[in-house]
Amino acid sequence: MNMTIPPRKEVITDIKNHGGLVAAVLPIHYSRALLRAFSIYPVEVWGPPKVDVSLGGAHLQAYICSIVHNGLSFLKMGGLNIADLILIPHTCDSLQGLTSVLIDLIQPEQVIIPLYLPRGQREEDVAFLVDEFRSLYTRFSDLTGKHPTSKDLLTAIKREEMSDLLLTKLYKNRQQVGLSNIDFYRLVRSREYLPAEHFSTLAEKTLQAATEPRPGIPIILSGILPEPMEVLTMIDKMSGLIVADDLACCGRRLYAPGTSPDPFRRMAERIVYAPPDPTRGNSIEERLKYLTEMAQNSGAQGVIFYEVKFCEPELFDLPSLRAGLKEQGLASIIIEVDINNSLPRQVATRIGAFLEMLDS
Amino acid sequence: MKIAALGIDVGSTTVKMAGVNASGEMIWNHLEQVAPRVEKQVDSFLNKLKEEINSLAGIPLVATGYGRNLVHQAVKNVTEITCHAKGVYHQLGHGGTLVDIGGQDSKVIVIGAQGQVVDFAMNDKCAAGTGRFLENSAARMQVSIDEMGSVALSATEEVTISSTCTVFAESEIISMVAHGVAVEPILMGLHRSLIKRVVAMVRSVGLVPPLLLSGGVVKNPAIRKVIEEETKEQVFLPEHPQLMGAYGAALLALKVKQK
Ligand code: SF4
């Protein structure tokens, strides 16, 4: 199917031309609705891949992941100059460290706003995030001079919920929409910078196309993000079919619609009760249950843990997760990558061998 | 000689080819050092074979190994993991845990009762735990690669090489030689260092006996002895340990033909 996704640059220029503000947002969880209620448009920064990392390297230890290395390098080379503010969720120690480096040492022109995230799914975690969102509201008000009402906030929330519902629908129908692995993730990842209403239009159009399910060896992709994206073309070529994912930038952000009439609580609940994620403190048992059910529902025969090198939250869980999956009869493999490098041929051999193993 | 199918394994140090008859027995093989222009080398391989058997028409070829994508004559490319498992299982007649130590990588493959790959691990990121580790160290001590196993086994004592990294091991060796340590105990220590690395990989997938070996490096008797000592398992070798990838590829080519 033919699909035109507007490029990131074009979208940002359009936002700016219409008087909107741009927030560069680092991984993983935050509330898009809260930003949009202030006419601030989130554009996410997952790296980006393949930049000159020597600029950021001067401030970071060698064992910090390439998402953070690249993010800082990109900022130092002027890649984030277009942004009016930089929002950094405290996803992990590395991003927390980056916030300190930016605030204390680099002091870029844009205002740096940290977002503290709770590590649990208890009532006090929701309450904590509600407070966080309230203080972000104050900071955004100070920045923009705007004071959106509860009604405004709820409108923004519902727009995002609609977009996320369509995203979830895309996931449910992914085999029927006639997209290859790479095209599916190009579309899904456009949510990282497209305003919700634009993404919804694209998603609706895609969902109208109904084709026969594509054949292939069914697998789950887990990890932070599918970068370099060549990996998806590689999986396509090797007859692998990603039938579900547990990726931080994609499937772990299939936020369910909220129910609370209080906008702050509704935004908080959506994140706290999102699919399990080690960076939000979900236990290995919860992740195992989630992955096993995902495999059962999607028919996946194995899991590729496609990990960013040095990503502590991800890598810590893997030995126990893999052992648990093995007990359930689910094969898995770990591939570690630096998003800055092109894919080494060894990755092709490992993924190829894994798919051959599942197919035999 | 009636070759029914061919397999080629384009490795990092050697190119291997095997031909099987309709029953899957290896009836022809050839091995050469890998040339910089693999495509040309494969062409000349096939031309030589054509001269021997008159025609290659109707004989499918499956390619494996790191240069498998360069073999444009292949009907299919299959990874070396699947091919090694296939070859070894067919030759030994049973599954187990296969350790393949190649020139530039090493792999551990758990082969199930029906010859299927159950799990695998690969060391493909650095030279530690591969043939290159021994090759570099042998060169440093001016011992030929073919002799290093027997020289190591003649040692009456053994020194510990603490570095598994090829570069650091080399400096360690230089320092030992400078301190007058004899070549034999150093070589024995080197073998143990390599095998410890390989055994760690075996443990990561879980050893399912029997322990099977393949790859050019296992022709070295010290490798076999040390791996038995470290795992407390008897090792089994196919007749042509270095050709198992090519043989497995040929068996898969035969399957293609029979389809
Ligand atoms: S890849 Fe891992 S370590 Fe790096 S920013 Fe993301 S969560 Fe943190």
Side-chain angles (χ1 to χ4, degrees):
Chain A
M1 116 168 237
N2 242 347
M3 183 183 49
T4 318
I5 303 172
R8 188 179 281 252
K9 243 192 191 148
E10 197 180 297
V11 174
I12 297 174
T13 314
D14 194 49
I15 294 168
K16 286 283 183 179
N17 287 344
H18 287 87
L21 297 180
V22 169
V25 185
L26 280 103
I28 301 173
H29 303 280
Y30 64 101
S31 172
R32 291 177 174 117
L34 184 55
L35 287 157
R36 284 295 306 277
F38 289 89
S39 298
I40 304 172
Y41 289 76
V43 174
E44 298 176 11
V45 184
W46 294 79
K50 298 184 184 161
V51 296
D52 174 8
V53 284
S54 59
L55 293 166
H59 302 276
L60 301 166
Q61 293 96 330
Y63 51 81
I64 298 295
C65 76
S66 45
I67 299 265
V68 170
H69 263 278
N70 286 25
L72 179 55
S73 302
F74 192 56
L75 176 137
K76 289 202 77 182
M77 63 205 267
L80 300 185
N81 285 356
I82 193 92
D84 301 283
L85 65 105
I86 301 173
L87 178 69
I88 312 185
H90 276 195
T91 299
C92 58
D93 291 350
S94 303
L95 280 169
Q96 197 158 341
L98 176 66
T99 317
S100 313
V101 168
L102 288 178
I103 293 176
D104 300 337
L105 301 171
I106 296 178
Q107 300 171 345
E109 270 178 22
Q110 303 91 332
V111 48
I112 305 291
I113 303 185
L115 164 63
Y116 298 92
L117 289 165
R119 298 276 187 271
Q121 291 73 45
R122 302 153 302 179
E123 182 48 38
E124 51 266 45
D125 297 308
V126 177
F128 176 91
L129 197 51
V130 166
D131 286 347
E132 265 302 295
F133 284 154
R134 284 191 194 282
S135 60
L136 274 192
Y137 178 99
T138 311
R139 291 213 60 183
F140 293 156
S141 283
D142 294 346
L143 264 173
T144 61
K146 292 183 176 154
H147 303 279
T149 61
S150 282
K151 201 173 153 220
D152 297 334
L153 283 170
L154 280 169
T155 306
I157 292 170
K158 284 179 187 160
R159 187 171 45 214
E160 298 297 333
E161 286 181 352
M162 173 52 73
S163 201
D164 286 339
L165 273 176
L166 286 163
L167 181 65
T168 309
K169 214 165 164 194
L170 267 179
Y171 263 79
K172 278 201 181 122
N173 295 289
R174 62 191 292 164
Q175 303 321 326
Q176 280 79 38
V177 293
L179 295 180
S180 60
N181 291 319
I182 180 107
D183 284 338
F184 181 79
Y185 283 99
R186 273 197 192 119
L187 172 63
V188 164
R189 296 196 62 200
S190 68
R191 181 95 177 91
E192 291 168 18
Y193 63 90
L194 276 184
E197 52 279 30
H198 293 190
F199 178 80
S200 294
T201 311
L202 264 183
E204 269 166 351
K205 246 193 217 161
T206 311
L207 282 163
Q208 279 160 14
T211 58
E212 285 293 299
R214 287 171 3 94
I217 305 156
I219 49 161
I220 290 172
L221 198 60
S222 176
I224 296 290
L225 78 174
E227 289 283 4
M229 296 267 288
E230 297 113 81
V231 71
L232 299 167
T233 318
M234 186 192 280
I235 295 175
D236 275 323
K237 278 193 191 144
M238 291 171 173
S239 306
L241 188 64
I242 304 168
V243 288
D245 82 56
D246 168 47
L247 291 167
C249 71
C250 307
R252 285 185 207 160
R253 300 200 299 175
L254 294 177
Y255 306 114
T259 49
S260 172
D262 170 43
F264 291 99
R265 191 174 166 91
R266 190 156 172 157
M267 289 187 285
E269 281 177 351
R270 295 193 73 210
I271 291 180
V272 169
Y273 302 129
D277 183 336
T279 69
R280 287 191 0 268
N282 287 102
S283 67
I284 288 175
E285 291 71 29
E286 285 168 314
R287 292 195 63 201
L288 192 55
K289 185 169 173 276
Y290 180 72
L291 279 173
T292 315
E293 282 172 7
M294 186 185 270
Q296 276 162 2
N297 297 336
S298 64
Q301 292 171 4
V303 183
I304 296 182
F305 288 104
Y306 189 78
E307 305 293 358
V308 176
K309 240 181 232 170
F310 305 123
C311 173
E312 275 186 33
E314 287 286 315
L315 296 173
F316 266 131
D317 280 6
L318 286 193
S320 317
L321 257 188
R322 292 190 70 206
L325 290 175
K326 199 172 177 180
E327 271 175 31
Q328 317 267 348
L330 267 177
S332 67
I333 185 176
I334 306 177
I335 308 281
E336 272 185 85
V337 291
D338 180 322
I339 64 159
N340 228 22
N341 300 338
S342 29
L343 278 181
R345 64 149 184 101
Q346 290 94 329
V347 169
T349 299
R350 281 168 190 243
I351 294 181
F354 184 67
L355 292 171
E356 286 166 7
M357 179 177 100
L358 296 180
D359 200 29
S360 67
Chain B
M1 182 167 65
K2 184 87 181 96
I3 293 180
L6 287 166
I8 187 164
D9 178 358
V10 185
S12 56
T13 42
T14 51
V15 182
K16 287 86 59 176
M17 209 161 169
V20 294
N21 62 17
S23 327
E25 286 157 339
M26 195 195 302
I27 53 171
W28 176 85
N29 65 65
H30 186 73
L31 184 149
E32 269 180 23
Q33 290 302 309
V34 73
R37 316 253 348 142
V38 171
E39 294 99 323
K40 269 196 181 165
Q41 190 174 23
V42 174
D43 284 345
S44 84
F45 249 52
L46 291 170
N47 286 338
K48 267 185 225 152
L49 179 62
K50 201 171 160 186
E51 278 168 25
E52 268 181 59
I53 62 169
N54 287 329
S55 166
L56 294 177
I59 305 179
L61 169 71
V62 165
T64 188
Y66 98 102
R68 61 186 178 278
N69 294 324
L70 301 171
V71 184
H72 57 89
Q73 297 91 338
V75 293
K76 203 174 164 185
N77 291 331
V78 181
T79 65
E80 43 276 43
I81 301 285
T82 303
C83 288
H84 274 84
K86 190 106 206 142
V88 170
Y89 177 80
H90 210 269
Q91 201 154 80
L92 294 179
H94 55 77
T97 303
L98 172 66
V99 173
D100 176 85
I101 308 175
Q104 227 165 51
D105 67 12
S106 49
K107 27 195 173 293
V108 177
I109 309 167
V110 181
I111 307 173
Q114 266 75 49
Q116 79 281 21
V117 175
V118 175
D119 203 353
F120 67 91
M122 285 178 85
N123 165 29
D124 49 21
K125 287 187 192 143
C126 78
T130 73
R132 188 72 80 220
F133 176 78
L134 287 183
E135 218 173 274
N136 272 21
S137 315
R140 193 39 83 186
M141 283 180 292
Q142 293 171 342
V143 177
S144 86
I145 191 84
D146 294 332
E147 281 171 346
M148 73 184 304
S150 49
V151 174
L153 287 177
S154 70
T156 49
E157 53 183 348
E158 181 179 329
V159 293
T160 305
I161 309 284
S162 46
S163 314
T164 43
C165 163
T166 308
V167 179
F168 289 147
E170 231 178 284
S171 352
E172 215 174 321
I173 292 165
I174 293 168
S175 150
M176 282 179 183
V177 171
H179 283 89
V181 181
V183 165
E184 294 82 356
I186 298 179
L187 277 180
M188 200 56 193
L190 272 172
H191 281 79
R192 193 159 313 270
S193 171
L194 180 145
I195 291 301
K196 276 189 190 275
R197 173 94 187 204
V198 170
V199 169
M201 204 160 54
V202 172
R203 298 215 168 99
S204 75
V205 291
L207 198 161
V208 179
L211 188 60
L212 321 169
L213 295 184
S214 71
V217 178
V218 303
K219 288 191 294 186
N220 173 331
I223 288 285
R224 300 197 295 268
K225 180 172 185 286
V226 178
I227 201 164
E228 285 188 338
E229 284 173 5
E230 291 294 325
T231 58
K232 316 255 178 311
E233 289 286 339
Q234 189 193 344
V235 298
F236 296 86
L237 265 77
E239 198 188 330
H240 302 287
Q242 212 170 349
L243 298 174
M244 286 304 96
Y247 180 45
L251 291 170
L252 289 167
L254 189 61
K255 230 175 155 183
V256 170
K257 190 175 183 169
Q258 287 162 352
K259 262 189 188 165

Short mmCIF file of all heavy atoms in Angstrom, two decimals, chain A residues 238 309 322 326 331-333 336 345-350 352-354 356-357 360, chain B residues 66 68 77-82 104-105 116-120 122-125 205:
data_model
loop_
_atom_site.label_atom_id
_atom_site.label_comp_id
_atom_site.label_asym_id
_atom_site.label_seq_id
_atom_site.Cartn_x
_atom_site.Cartn_y
_atom_site.Cartn_z
N MET A 238 14.30 -11.81 5.46
CA MET A 238 14.52 -13.16 5.99
C MET A 238 13.21 -13.86 6.32
O MET A 238 13.19 -14.83 7.05
CB MET A 238 15.37 -13.08 7.24
CG MET A 238 16.78 -12.66 6.97
SD MET A 238 17.59 -12.34 8.54
CE MET A 238 19.26 -12.07 7.97
N LYS A 309 22.97 -1.06 23.37
CA LYS A 309 24.11 -1.38 24.24
C LYS A 309 24.13 -0.45 25.46
O LYS A 309 23.86 0.75 25.33
CB LYS A 309 25.39 -1.16 23.45
CG LYS A 309 26.23 -2.40 23.32
CD LYS A 309 27.48 -2.12 22.56
CE LYS A 309 27.57 -3.13 21.44
NZ LYS A 309 28.60 -2.84 20.49
N ARG A 322 14.48 -14.24 29.93
CA ARG A 322 14.74 -15.28 28.93
C ARG A 322 14.55 -16.67 29.53
O ARG A 322 13.99 -17.56 28.91
CB ARG A 322 16.14 -15.15 28.36
CG ARG A 322 16.32 -13.89 27.52
CD ARG A 322 17.63 -13.93 26.79
NE ARG A 322 17.62 -14.93 25.73
CZ ARG A 322 18.69 -15.52 25.26
NH1 ARG A 322 19.87 -15.24 25.77
NH2 ARG A 322 18.60 -16.42 24.30
N LYS A 326 11.86 -19.38 28.29
CA LYS A 326 12.30 -20.73 27.89
C LYS A 326 11.43 -21.79 28.57
O LYS A 326 11.04 -22.77 27.96
CB LYS A 326 13.78 -20.90 28.30
CG LYS A 326 14.49 -22.02 27.56
CD LYS A 326 15.97 -21.99 27.87
CE LYS A 326 16.67 -23.14 27.21
NZ LYS A 326 18.11 -23.14 27.50
N ALA A 331 11.37 -19.43 22.51
CA ALA A 331 12.79 -19.18 22.26
C ALA A 331 13.03 -17.67 22.22
O ALA A 331 12.12 -16.90 21.90
CB ALA A 331 13.19 -19.78 20.94
N SER A 332 14.25 -17.27 22.56
CA SER A 332 14.56 -15.84 22.48
C SER A 332 16.03 -15.66 22.14
O SER A 332 16.83 -16.59 22.25
CB SER A 332 14.25 -15.14 23.81
OG SER A 332 15.11 -15.61 24.81
N ILE A 333 16.34 -14.46 21.71
CA ILE A 333 17.74 -14.14 21.38
C ILE A 333 17.98 -12.68 21.74
O ILE A 333 17.04 -11.88 21.71
CB ILE A 333 17.99 -14.39 19.88
CG1 ILE A 333 19.45 -14.17 19.53
CG2 ILE A 333 17.14 -13.49 18.99
CD1 ILE A 333 19.79 -14.49 18.09
N GLU A 336 22.49 -6.88 20.59
CA GLU A 336 22.81 -5.57 21.16
C GLU A 336 23.37 -4.68 20.06
O GLU A 336 24.26 -5.10 19.32
CB GLU A 336 23.86 -5.73 22.25
CG GLU A 336 23.27 -5.98 23.62
CD GLU A 336 24.35 -6.01 24.67
OE1 GLU A 336 24.73 -4.95 25.17
OE2 GLU A 336 24.82 -7.12 24.97
N ARG A 345 27.34 -7.50 9.97
CA ARG A 345 26.83 -8.72 9.33
C ARG A 345 26.50 -9.81 10.36
O ARG A 345 25.66 -10.66 10.15
CB ARG A 345 27.81 -9.27 8.29
CG ARG A 345 29.11 -9.72 8.90
CD ARG A 345 29.79 -10.87 8.21
NE ARG A 345 30.97 -11.22 8.97
CZ ARG A 345 31.04 -12.25 9.79
NH1 ARG A 345 30.01 -13.05 9.95
NH2 ARG A 345 32.14 -12.49 10.46
N GLN A 346 27.17 -9.73 11.55
CA GLN A 346 26.89 -10.74 12.57
C GLN A 346 25.44 -10.68 13.01
O GLN A 346 24.85 -11.69 13.37
CB GLN A 346 27.78 -10.52 13.80
CG GLN A 346 29.24 -10.84 13.57
CD GLN A 346 30.03 -9.62 13.18
OE1 GLN A 346 29.50 -8.70 12.55
NE2 GLN A 346 31.30 -9.59 13.53
N VAL A 347 24.87 -9.48 13.01
CA VAL A 347 23.46 -9.35 13.42
C VAL A 347 22.58 -10.09 12.42
O VAL A 347 21.63 -10.79 12.79
CB VAL A 347 23.06 -7.86 13.53
CG1 VAL A 347 21.56 -7.70 13.67
CG2 VAL A 347 23.76 -7.22 14.71
N ALA A 348 22.92 -9.99 11.13
CA ALA A 348 22.15 -10.69 10.11
C ALA A 348 22.23 -12.20 10.34
O ALA A 348 21.22 -12.91 10.26
CB ALA A 348 22.68 -10.34 8.73
N THR A 349 23.43 -12.67 10.68
CA THR A 349 23.59 -14.11 10.90
C THR A 349 22.79 -14.55 12.12
O THR A 349 22.10 -15.57 12.10
CB THR A 349 25.08 -14.46 11.08
OG1 THR A 349 25.75 -14.09 9.88
CG2 THR A 349 25.29 -15.94 11.36
N ARG A 350 22.85 -13.77 13.18
CA ARG A 350 22.12 -14.15 14.41
C ARG A 350 20.62 -14.17 14.17
O ARG A 350 19.93 -15.11 14.54
CB ARG A 350 22.42 -13.19 15.54
CG ARG A 350 23.74 -13.45 16.19
CD ARG A 350 24.09 -12.29 17.09
NE ARG A 350 25.45 -12.42 17.55
CZ ARG A 350 25.80 -12.57 18.82
NH1 ARG A 350 24.89 -12.58 19.75
NH2 ARG A 350 27.05 -12.70 19.17
N GLY A 352 19.09 -14.30 11.30
CA GLY A 352 18.79 -15.34 10.30
C GLY A 352 18.75 -16.72 10.95
O GLY A 352 17.82 -17.50 10.73
N ALA A 353 19.75 -17.00 11.78
CA ALA A 353 19.81 -18.32 12.44
C ALA A 353 18.62 -18.51 13.37
O ALA A 353 18.05 -19.60 13.48
CB ALA A 353 21.12 -18.45 13.20
N PHE A 354 18.24 -17.43 14.05
CA PHE A 354 17.11 -17.51 14.98
C PHE A 354 15.82 -17.83 14.21
O PHE A 354 15.04 -18.70 14.61
CB PHE A 354 16.98 -16.19 15.73
CG PHE A 354 15.92 -16.19 16.80
CD1 PHE A 354 16.05 -16.98 17.93
CD2 PHE A 354 14.79 -15.40 16.68
CE1 PHE A 354 15.07 -16.99 18.91
CE2 PHE A 354 13.81 -15.40 17.66
CZ PHE A 354 13.95 -16.19 18.78
N GLU A 356 15.60 -19.23 11.26
CA GLU A 356 15.70 -20.61 10.73
C GLU A 356 15.38 -21.62 11.84
O GLU A 356 14.70 -22.62 11.61
CB GLU A 356 17.11 -20.88 10.20
CG GLU A 356 17.41 -20.19 8.87
CD GLU A 356 18.91 -20.17 8.53
OE1 GLU A 356 19.71 -20.81 9.25
OE2 GLU A 356 19.27 -19.49 7.55
N MET A 357 15.85 -21.32 13.03
CA MET A 357 15.59 -22.22 14.17
C MET A 357 14.09 -22.31 14.44
O MET A 357 13.55 -23.40 14.62
CB MET A 357 16.32 -21.69 15.39
CG MET A 357 16.14 -22.50 16.65
SD MET A 357 17.13 -21.80 17.97
CE MET A 357 15.89 -20.89 18.84
N SER A 360 12.27 -24.37 11.76
CA SER A 360 12.64 -25.78 11.48
C SER A 360 11.68 -26.75 12.15
O SER A 360 11.13 -26.48 13.16
CB SER A 360 14.06 -26.05 11.94
OG SER A 360 14.11 -25.96 13.34
N TYR B 66 30.11 -16.57 6.35
CA TYR B 66 29.94 -15.11 6.39
C TYR B 66 29.90 -14.50 4.99
O TYR B 66 29.34 -13.44 4.78
CB TYR B 66 31.02 -14.48 7.28
CG TYR B 66 32.20 -13.92 6.54
CD1 TYR B 66 32.32 -12.55 6.32
CD2 TYR B 66 33.21 -14.77 6.07
CE1 TYR B 66 33.41 -12.04 5.64
CE2 TYR B 66 34.28 -14.26 5.39
CZ TYR B 66 34.38 -12.89 5.17
OH TYR B 66 35.45 -12.39 4.48
N ARG B 68 28.32 -15.86 2.45
CA ARG B 68 27.28 -16.58 1.69
C ARG B 68 26.55 -15.71 0.68
O ARG B 68 26.15 -16.19 -0.38
CB ARG B 68 26.28 -17.25 2.64
CG ARG B 68 25.52 -16.30 3.54
CD ARG B 68 24.65 -17.06 4.54
NE ARG B 68 23.94 -16.17 5.44
CZ ARG B 68 24.46 -15.64 6.53
NH1 ARG B 68 25.71 -15.89 6.87
NH2 ARG B 68 23.73 -14.85 7.31
N ASN B 77 20.54 -19.13 0.54
CA ASN B 77 21.57 -18.84 1.55
C ASN B 77 21.03 -19.27 2.91
O ASN B 77 19.90 -18.91 3.25
CB ASN B 77 21.84 -17.34 1.65
CG ASN B 77 22.53 -16.82 0.42
OD1 ASN B 77 23.26 -17.56 -0.23
ND2 ASN B 77 22.30 -15.57 0.10
N VAL B 78 21.84 -19.99 3.64
CA VAL B 78 21.41 -20.44 4.97
C VAL B 78 22.53 -20.12 5.95
O VAL B 78 23.71 -20.18 5.58
CB VAL B 78 21.11 -21.96 4.95
CG1 VAL B 78 20.64 -22.45 6.30
CG2 VAL B 78 20.07 -22.30 3.89
N THR B 79 22.19 -19.77 7.18
CA THR B 79 23.25 -19.39 8.13
C THR B 79 24.08 -20.61 8.51
O THR B 79 23.62 -21.76 8.44
CB THR B 79 22.67 -18.79 9.42
OG1 THR B 79 21.92 -19.79 10.08
CG2 THR B 79 21.80 -17.59 9.13
N GLU B 80 25.28 -20.31 8.99
CA GLU B 80 26.20 -21.39 9.37
C GLU B 80 25.68 -22.17 10.58
O GLU B 80 26.03 -23.33 10.77
CB GLU B 80 27.62 -20.86 9.59
CG GLU B 80 27.79 -19.56 10.35
CD GLU B 80 27.64 -18.29 9.50
OE1 GLU B 80 26.72 -18.24 8.66
OE2 GLU B 80 28.43 -17.37 9.71
N ILE B 81 24.85 -21.55 11.40
CA ILE B 81 24.31 -22.25 12.58
C ILE B 81 23.49 -23.45 12.11
O ILE B 81 23.72 -24.60 12.53
CB ILE B 81 23.38 -21.30 13.40
CG1 ILE B 81 24.13 -20.06 13.87
CG2 ILE B 81 22.70 -22.02 14.55
CD1 ILE B 81 25.06 -20.23 15.00
N THR B 82 22.54 -23.19 11.22
CA THR B 82 21.68 -24.27 10.72
C THR B 82 22.51 -25.32 9.97
O THR B 82 22.31 -26.52 10.14
CB THR B 82 20.61 -23.66 9.78
OG1 THR B 82 19.89 -22.69 10.53
CG2 THR B 82 19.65 -24.71 9.26
N GLN B 104 37.45 -17.09 12.95
CA GLN B 104 37.17 -15.75 13.44
C GLN B 104 35.95 -15.65 14.35
O GLN B 104 35.63 -14.60 14.86
CB GLN B 104 36.98 -14.83 12.24
CG GLN B 104 37.75 -13.56 12.39
CD GLN B 104 37.84 -12.83 11.07
OE1 GLN B 104 36.86 -12.60 10.38
NE2 GLN B 104 39.05 -12.46 10.70
N ASP B 105 35.25 -16.76 14.50
CA ASP B 105 34.17 -16.75 15.47
C ASP B 105 34.03 -18.15 16.05
O ASP B 105 34.66 -19.09 15.60
CB ASP B 105 32.84 -16.25 14.86
CG ASP B 105 32.27 -17.19 13.82
OD1 ASP B 105 32.76 -18.34 13.70
OD2 ASP B 105 31.33 -16.80 13.12
N GLN B 116 17.23 -30.71 14.92
CA GLN B 116 16.84 -29.29 14.82
C GLN B 116 17.68 -28.44 15.79
O GLN B 116 18.14 -28.93 16.80
CB GLN B 116 15.34 -29.12 15.12
CG GLN B 116 14.92 -29.15 16.57
CD GLN B 116 14.84 -30.54 17.19
OE1 GLN B 116 15.44 -31.50 16.72
NE2 GLN B 116 14.13 -30.63 18.31
N VAL B 117 17.85 -27.16 15.44
CA VAL B 117 18.57 -26.25 16.35
C VAL B 117 17.61 -25.88 17.47
O VAL B 117 16.50 -25.42 17.22
CB VAL B 117 19.03 -24.97 15.59
CG1 VAL B 117 19.66 -23.97 16.55
CG2 VAL B 117 19.99 -25.32 14.47
N VAL B 118 18.05 -26.09 18.71
CA VAL B 118 17.19 -25.79 19.86
C VAL B 118 17.58 -24.44 20.47
O VAL B 118 16.74 -23.67 20.92
CB VAL B 118 17.29 -26.91 20.91
CG1 VAL B 118 16.52 -26.56 22.16
CG2 VAL B 118 16.81 -28.23 20.32
N ASP B 119 18.87 -24.17 20.47
CA ASP B 119 19.36 -22.89 21.01
C ASP B 119 20.77 -22.69 20.48
O ASP B 119 21.42 -23.66 20.05
CB ASP B 119 19.37 -22.95 22.55
CG ASP B 119 19.32 -21.56 23.18
OD1 ASP B 119 19.41 -20.57 22.43
OD2 ASP B 119 19.21 -21.47 24.42
N PHE B 120 21.24 -21.48 20.51
CA PHE B 120 22.61 -21.24 20.07
C PHE B 120 23.17 -19.97 20.69
O PHE B 120 22.41 -19.11 21.15
CB PHE B 120 22.71 -21.18 18.54
CG PHE B 120 22.00 -19.99 17.94
CD1 PHE B 120 22.68 -18.79 17.73
CD2 PHE B 120 20.67 -20.06 17.58
CE1 PHE B 120 22.04 -17.69 17.16
CE2 PHE B 120 20.02 -18.96 17.03
CZ PHE B 120 20.70 -17.78 16.82
N MET B 122 26.67 -17.23 19.95
CA MET B 122 27.80 -16.97 19.05
C MET B 122 28.75 -15.97 19.68
O MET B 122 28.30 -15.04 20.32
CB MET B 122 27.29 -16.34 17.75
CG MET B 122 26.62 -17.28 16.82
SD MET B 122 26.03 -16.37 15.38
CE MET B 122 27.49 -16.37 14.36
N ASN B 123 30.03 -16.22 19.49
CA ASN B 123 30.99 -15.19 19.85
C ASN B 123 31.51 -14.65 18.53
O ASN B 123 32.31 -15.28 17.86
CB ASN B 123 32.14 -15.79 20.66
CG ASN B 123 33.33 -14.84 20.73
OD1 ASN B 123 33.14 -13.63 20.67
ND2 ASN B 123 34.53 -15.37 20.81
N ASP B 124 30.99 -13.51 18.15
CA ASP B 124 31.38 -12.98 16.85
C ASP B 124 31.86 -11.55 16.97
O ASP B 124 31.99 -10.84 16.01
CB ASP B 124 30.21 -13.07 15.87
CG ASP B 124 28.93 -12.51 16.46
OD1 ASP B 124 29.03 -11.72 17.42
OD2 ASP B 124 27.84 -12.86 15.99
N LYS B 125 32.12 -11.15 18.23
CA LYS B 125 32.47 -9.73 18.38
C LYS B 125 33.96 -9.51 18.53
O LYS B 125 34.47 -8.46 18.26
CB LYS B 125 31.75 -9.17 19.61
CG LYS B 125 30.29 -8.98 19.35
CD LYS B 125 29.65 -8.27 20.50
CE LYS B 125 28.15 -8.35 20.40
NZ LYS B 125 27.53 -8.50 21.68
N VAL B 205 24.20 -21.33 27.26
CA VAL B 205 23.02 -21.97 26.64
C VAL B 205 22.62 -23.24 27.40
O VAL B 205 21.50 -23.73 27.25
CB VAL B 205 23.24 -22.33 25.13
CG1 VAL B 205 23.32 -21.11 24.28
CG2 VAL B 205 24.43 -23.21 24.92
#
